[in-house]
């Protein structure tokens, strides 16, 4: 992705978003983990979130007033813009757990899941029998 595509967010929006994502996933000294505002992770957030920019612009504008980001302000943002806050939270989680440092700290091998795959514990599929027996609970489209 080009620098122009990454800079779809204005400088003010980037600053507000950086402060906000730092509250969503703060750094952990105990576990030697970066925050979501770490430059590498934040670059991924900007790149991956470029498609969401228009949907987030109004909400981010409320954070660009020049006030410092506090936990109370982040919580107020979530209350005022629940849809946008959820989009940002999902984006942050996706980008954060793509970071090799984070995956290594979780003792997860840093690699693509395929072609090797991952072992999955056996499941008790009988738990789904009541759900299947219930039948469709939705209206079928024409």
């Amino acid at each position: 992705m080009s620098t122009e595509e990454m800079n779809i967010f204005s400088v003010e929006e980037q600053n507000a978003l950086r402060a906000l994502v730092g509250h969503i996933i703060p750094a952990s000294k105990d576990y030697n983990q970066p925050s979501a505002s770490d430059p590498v992770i934040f670059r991924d957030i900007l790149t991956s979130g470029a498609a969401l920019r228009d949907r987030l612009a109004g909400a981010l504008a409320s954070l660009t007033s020049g006030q410092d980001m506090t936990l109370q302000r982040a919580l107020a943002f979530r209350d005022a813009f629940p849809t946008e806050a959820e989009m940002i939270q999902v984006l942050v989680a996706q980008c954060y757990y793509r970071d090799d440092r984070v995956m290594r700290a979780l003792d997860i091998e840093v690699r693509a899941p395929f072609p090797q795959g991952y072992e999955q514990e056996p499941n008790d599929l009988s738990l789904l029998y009541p759900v299947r027996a219930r039948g469709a609970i939705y209206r079928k489209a024409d």
Side-chain angles (χ1 to χ4, degrees), residues 8 15 21 26 28 33 79-80 93 102 115-116 126-127 135:
I8 193 164
N15 291 337
V21 303
S28 171
Q33 289 297 294
D79 291 341
V102 173
Q116 293 171 302
S126 67
L127 296 172

Coordinates of all heavy atoms in Angstrom, one line a residue, residues 8 15 21 26 28 33 79-80 93 102 115-116 126-127 135:
I8 N -4.7 8.2 4.4 CA -6.1 8.7 4.1 C -6.7 9.3 5.3 O -7.5 10.2 5.2 CB -6.9 7.5 3.7 CG1 -8.3 7.9 3.1 CG2 -7.2 6.5 4.8 CD1 -9.0 6.9 2.3
N15 N -3.7 11.2 15.1 CA -3.3 11.4 16.5 C -4.4 11.0 17.5 O -4.2 10.3 18.5 CB -3.0 12.9 16.7 CG -1.7 13.3 16.0 OD1 -0.9 12.5 15.8 ND2 -1.6 14.6 15.7
V21 N -6.5 3.9 20.5 CA -6.1 2.5 20.4 C -5.1 2.2 21.5 O -5.0 1.0 22.0 CB -5.5 2.1 19.0 CG1 -6.6 2.4 17.9 CG2 -4.2 2.7 18.7
P26 N -3.4 -1.3 26.0 CA -2.2 -0.6 26.5 C -1.0 -1.5 26.5 O -1.1 -2.8 26.5 CB -2.6 -0.2 27.9 CG -3.7 -1.1 28.3 CD -4.3 -1.6 27.0
S28 N 2.1 -3.6 28.1 CA 2.2 -4.4 29.3 C 3.7 -4.6 29.6 O 4.4 -5.3 28.8 CB 1.5 -5.7 29.2 OG 1.8 -6.5 30.3
Q33 N 4.8 -6.6 26.3 CA 3.9 -6.5 25.1 C 3.8 -5.0 24.7 O 3.6 -4.1 25.6 CB 2.6 -7.0 25.4 CG 2.6 -8.5 25.5 CD 2.9 -9.2 24.2 OE1 2.2 -9.1 23.2 NE2 4.1 -9.8 24.2
D79 N -19.5 5.3 24.4 CA -20.9 5.6 24.7 C -21.6 6.4 23.6 O -22.7 6.1 23.2 CB -21.1 6.2 26.0 CG -20.8 5.3 27.2 OD1 -20.7 4.1 27.0 OD2 -20.5 5.8 28.3
A80 N -20.9 7.4 23.1 CA -21.4 8.3 22.1 C -21.4 7.7 20.7 O -22.3 8.0 19.9 CB -20.7 9.6 22.1
A93 N -8.0 -5.3 17.4 CA -7.7 -6.7 17.7 C -7.1 -7.4 16.6 O -6.1 -8.2 16.7 CB -9.0 -7.4 18.2
V102 N 3.6 -10.2 19.4 CA 2.4 -10.5 20.3 C 2.2 -12.0 20.2 O 2.0 -12.7 21.2 CB 1.2 -9.8 19.8 CG1 -0.1 -10.3 20.5 CG2 1.4 -8.3 20.0
P115 N -0.3 -24.4 4.9 CA -0.9 -25.7 4.7 C -0.8 -26.6 5.9 O -1.4 -27.7 5.9 CB -0.1 -26.3 3.5 CG 1.2 -25.7 3.6 CD 1.0 -24.3 4.2
Q116 N 0.0 -26.3 6.9 CA 0.3 -27.2 8.0 C -1.0 -27.3 8.9 O -1.2 -28.4 9.5 CB 1.4 -26.7 8.9 CG 2.8 -26.7 8.2 CD 3.8 -26.0 9.0 OE1 3.7 -24.9 9.3 NE2 4.8 -26.8 9.4
S126 N -22.6 -33.5 19.5 CA -24.0 -33.8 19.9 C -24.6 -32.6 20.6 O -25.8 -32.5 20.7 CB -24.0 -35.0 20.9 OG -23.4 -34.6 22.1
L127 N -23.8 -31.6 21.0 CA -24.3 -30.4 21.5 C -25.1 -29.6 20.5 O -25.9 -28.8 20.9 CB -23.1 -29.5 22.1 CG -22.3 -30.1 23.2 CD1 -21.1 -29.2 23.5 CD2 -23.2 -30.2 24.5
G135 N -35.0 -26.4 14.1 CA -35.3 -26.0 12.8 C -34.9 -24.5 12.6 O -34.3 -23.9 13.4

